[in-house]
Amino acid sequence: MKSSVRSIPRPGRGRVRPVLTLLTSGTMLLTSACAVANSDTAGDAGSADGRTLRVVLTQEPPTLEPCESSTTATGVVVRSNITEPLIERDPTSGKLDPLLSTGWRQTKPTTWTFDIRSGVTFQNGQPFTAKDAVFSIDRAVNSDLACNVDGYVFGDEKLVVRAVSPTRLTVTTKKADPILPLRLSFIEIVPRTTDSRAKVRIPIGTGPYAVKEWQTGVSISLARYDKYWGKAPAYPRATYVWRSDASVRAAMINKGEADITTSLDPMDATKENSVAYPNNETTALRLDGREAPLDDIRVRKAIGMAIDRDGIIDALLDGKAKPAAQLVPPGVVGHNDDLVPPSYDATKARALVKEAAADGVPVKRRITLVARNGQFAGIAETAEALQYEMAQIGLNVRIRMADTATSLQYQLRPLPRGVGPIAMLVQHGNQAGDAAFTTSQYLLSDGPQSTFGTKELDRRIDAANALSGKAREKAFADLLAYQNKEVAQFAYLAHMRGLLGLSPSVHYRPNSATGDEMRLAEVSPAKAGKH
């Protein structure tokens, strides 16, 4: 179906700019028909007996392996439901709170000591001790499993971990690490009997729910762990299913077939079936600077100028986002308040592309824009808008919509070879609250989700990591500005807000971590008239 172009006026602005109209009346009728047809077959979402919490995801998780729970599709099921970390970060205040560790302190410049909670058992009945914590850290960080948490959180650094008693362990780093407790909050604890040579399909943890069954392609069922050390969750059972169509997910809420659904489309959202929340995600195009024409900084900067952020946010994201000038969202240590997005200027962007072409840059070489199905509401339409805007400045772009597993092949190292220049539509959530997790992942030359970098940017990141307090904040803010000026690996789009589908029968208050870590123990039956 071809897209048409219309001009969308913006309230409070004196100008009008062209933006893709990506939802024609025909598209809306087709979507509505799909919702009715598919939702009738979705009764496996759970039961309406009030004892099974029914959750609908955008896609089936690619894995439930705990060491991969820093990826959204896995973490939203695993983290704080099946497994738990030593420490958890309050997503609202940023404060670190005790969980399986009751306290921690820096006992030497490079060593931290952690006290372990007593009286905790795993879902297989095995007691939890410091040895399990040591095993879990070694398995996630020091093994050959290639866990996402290894590169994402620790940058492939190896740790020296020792259990000094059943209730105490030490973690030593090569260099002083002022935020080691924060990093450890990403490691989910598993029994030391867990396979250390291969990733697991059905995880065992200390969380309030245990995996009862995973029917591949159909559903994941959890059962309340009755010997859980903390407060028992309200629902004895929970079931996850997945529907890629946002309208289907909304229809399941409306028809009483689901209690919670992730990522509603604004078009389907009402006050009765949804709640908006700041999800701490930033959307951007990651530009592969290893391949022409994206290896030319003029082309990369031109793409940044060609994006009509306000138009896309107004037309496709229901105004529920803010234009972005960096991957680090507000409220995270290192966010640079002085950075602003480049002004939308197709004329100047086109001139930069022509200048590059005059110097021999093959600007007509086809660029593949990769986007993940269901990553956020309106992603397909957003990809089409970006394709259109890049075409307007003289670039040749095709779209490839991919499932989670395929998109991760493009997103994570080792990056695929022989696929040509890639513009990857990524969505990054810095739930940890420190820019180190963004820069080590996306900006280092060899970062797990970086396509390239510079020695100077690497030096700045390394120097910022060693600092604390105000000096740390300034160093990260300065290097983010340097990235935009001298590297320009990203064309930023927006700091996002999420729309969570929520049945009137349940009470749940989402926060900025909900998209990555939906804690089922925080969901309860609603009182009359309240979510």
Side-chain angles (χ1 to χ4, degrees):
M1 183 180 295
K2 293 185 178 180
S3 300
S4 58
V5 179
R6 68 175 177 179
S7 294
I8 299 179
R10 276 176 202 84
R13 290 180 171 85
R15 54 183 171 165
V16 175
R17 300 204 292 259
V19 177
L20 275 180
T21 301
L22 298 163
L23 296 173
T24 65
S25 58
T27 303
M28 287 188 282
L29 285 172
L30 179 61
T31 301
S32 176
C34 291
V36 172
N38 291 340
S39 62
D40 283 340
T41 65
D44 59 355
S47 63
D49 62 2
R51 294 177 60 79
T52 301
L53 184 62
R54 303 163 299 169
V55 182
V56 187
L57 308 175
T58 59
Q59 287 191 329
E60 182 173 15
T63 178
L64 295 182
E65 164 58 55
C67 78
E68 300 287 14
S69 63
S70 56
T71 59
T72 297
T74 297
V76 72
V77 175
V78 173
R79 283 176 64 89
S80 297
N81 296 321
I82 303 165
T83 60
E84 298 174 306
L86 294 175
I87 299 164
E88 64 180 358
R89 176 181 177 269
D90 185 300
T92 302
S93 68
K95 179 185 175 184
L96 294 180
D97 294 325
L99 201 63
L100 295 180
S101 173
T102 57
W104 51 92
R105 55 208 171 276
Q106 193 169 11
T107 46
K108 294 181 181 178
T110 59
T111 299
W112 289 78
T113 298
F114 298 83
D115 299 321
I116 297 301
R117 188 179 298 277
S118 300
V120 177
T121 60
F122 290 100
Q123 293 141 6
N124 63 359
Q126 178 181 324
F128 163 64
T129 72
K131 288 184 179 180
D132 298 292
V134 169
F135 170 85
S136 300
I137 296 170
D138 276 332
R139 183 178 183 272
V141 180
N142 294 334
S143 74
D144 295 325
L145 283 181
C147 297
N148 187 348
V149 69
D150 186 5
Y152 175 54
V153 180
F154 292 93
D156 298 322
E157 179 181 357
K158 301 307 177 186
L159 306 176
V160 178
V161 195
R162 283 198 323 118
V164 297
S165 78
T167 59
R168 184 166 296 170
L169 67 95
T170 61
V171 182
T172 301
T173 55
K174 186 175 181 180
K175 297 184 293 185
D177 187 348
I179 62 167
L180 181 66
L182 180 59
R183 296 186 198 277
L184 290 179
S185 71
F186 279 86
I187 294 182
E188 302 296 295
I189 302 302
V190 295
R192 58 185 181 272
T193 52
T194 304
D195 194 333
S196 61
R197 295 170 297 178
K199 295 177 181 178
V200 300
R201 184 174 188 273
I202 303 297
I204 293 172
T206 62
Y209 286 95
V211 179
K212 182 180 179 182
E213 185 179 21
W214 182 0
Q215 297 184 59
T216 303
V218 179
S219 65
I220 296 170
S221 300
L222 308 184
R224 185 168 60 194
Y225 177 46
D226 290 333
K227 294 183 179 179
Y228 178 56
W229 65 271
K231 182 181 178 181
Y235 291 90
R237 298 180 296 274
T239 302
Y240 296 89
V241 297
W242 31 91
R243 301 291 182 266
S244 60
D245 192 316
S247 294
V248 172
R249 296 194 296 275
M252 292 175 72
I253 290 286
N254 296 338
K255 296 172 69 175
E257 296 173 351
D259 301 305
I260 299 177
T261 74
T262 59
S263 193
L264 283 194
D265 191 302
M267 187 172 61
D268 301 313
T270 67
K271 288 193 297 183
E272 290 74 26
N273 72 2
S274 65
V275 59
Y277 65 100
N279 63 8
N280 215 11
E281 300 277 1
T282 301
T283 302
L285 276 175
R286 186 194 66 183
L287 307 173
D288 189 346
R290 305 169 303 165
E291 295 270 1
L294 298 178
D295 61 347
D296 191 289
I297 194 170
R298 292 168 295 187
V299 175
R300 298 197 299 273
K301 288 192 171 183
I303 292 171
M305 295 178 193
I307 297 176
D308 181 2
R309 294 165 182 82
D310 289 324
I312 290 174
I313 289 169
D314 288 352
L316 302 177
L317 304 179
D318 197 37
K320 291 182 171 64
K322 299 289 184 183
Q326 57 198 296
L327 280 183
V328 177
V332 170
V333 171
H335 174 83
N336 191 326
D337 293 333
D338 296 328
L339 292 180
V340 295
S343 299
Y344 170 73
D345 193 333
T347 300
K348 188 173 180 179
R350 198 176 300 115
L352 277 177
V353 172
K354 287 183 177 179
E355 180 184 312
D359 288 340
V361 177
V363 299
K364 294 299 183 182
R365 186 185 184 195
R366 188 167 67 182
I367 299 168
T368 301
L369 196 166
V370 178
R372 194 183 91 194
N373 286 314
Q375 189 170 38
F376 60 85
I379 187 170
E381 295 83 359
T382 299
E384 289 184 32
L386 293 170
Q387 178 191 39
Y388 170 81
E389 291 168 343
M390 291 166 71
Q392 292 297 102
I393 63 171
L395 299 176
N396 177 17
V397 181
R398 71 161 185 176
I399 296 172
R400 179 174 184 186
M401 299 301 299
D403 60 21
T404 299
T406 302
S407 69
L408 287 176
Q409 293 177 8
Y410 284 93
Q411 190 167 344
L412 300 172
R413 288 180 182 266
L415 298 168
R417 297 182 178 274
V419 294
I422 300 293
M424 179 92 192
L425 187 56
V426 299
Q427 186 167 246
H428 167 57
N430 188 317
Q431 307 300 351
D434 192 285
F437 295 91
T438 297
T439 57
S440 64
Q441 187 79 182
Y442 287 92
L443 300 185
L444 275 176
S445 297
D446 59 352
Q449 299 192 58
S450 172
T451 65
F452 74 108
T454 68
K455 289 183 178 179
E456 173 60 17
L457 186 57
D458 291 350
R459 184 196 66 77
R460 288 172 178 248
I461 293 170
D462 188 57
N465 279 330
L467 301 174
S468 59
K470 294 294 183 182
R472 183 182 187 88
E473 293 179 20
K474 185 178 187 305
F476 276 116
D478 288 347
L479 74 84
L480 291 174
Y482 176 86
Q483 195 286 144
N484 287 4
K485 181 179 179 182
E486 302 294 340
V487 184
Q489 183 174 177
F490 293 89
Y492 309 104
L493 181 56
H495 297 305
M496 308 289 282
R497 284 177 64 85
L499 271 173
L500 192 75
L502 198 63
S503 165
S505 65
V506 300
H507 173 76
Y508 176 65
R509 183 172 296 173
N511 54 51
S512 62
T514 291
D516 298 291
E517 181 180 340
M518 187 188 299
R519 301 179 184 181
L520 301 185
E522 296 181 358
V523 184
S524 61
K527 296 178 180 178
K530 293 180 68 177
H531 268 316

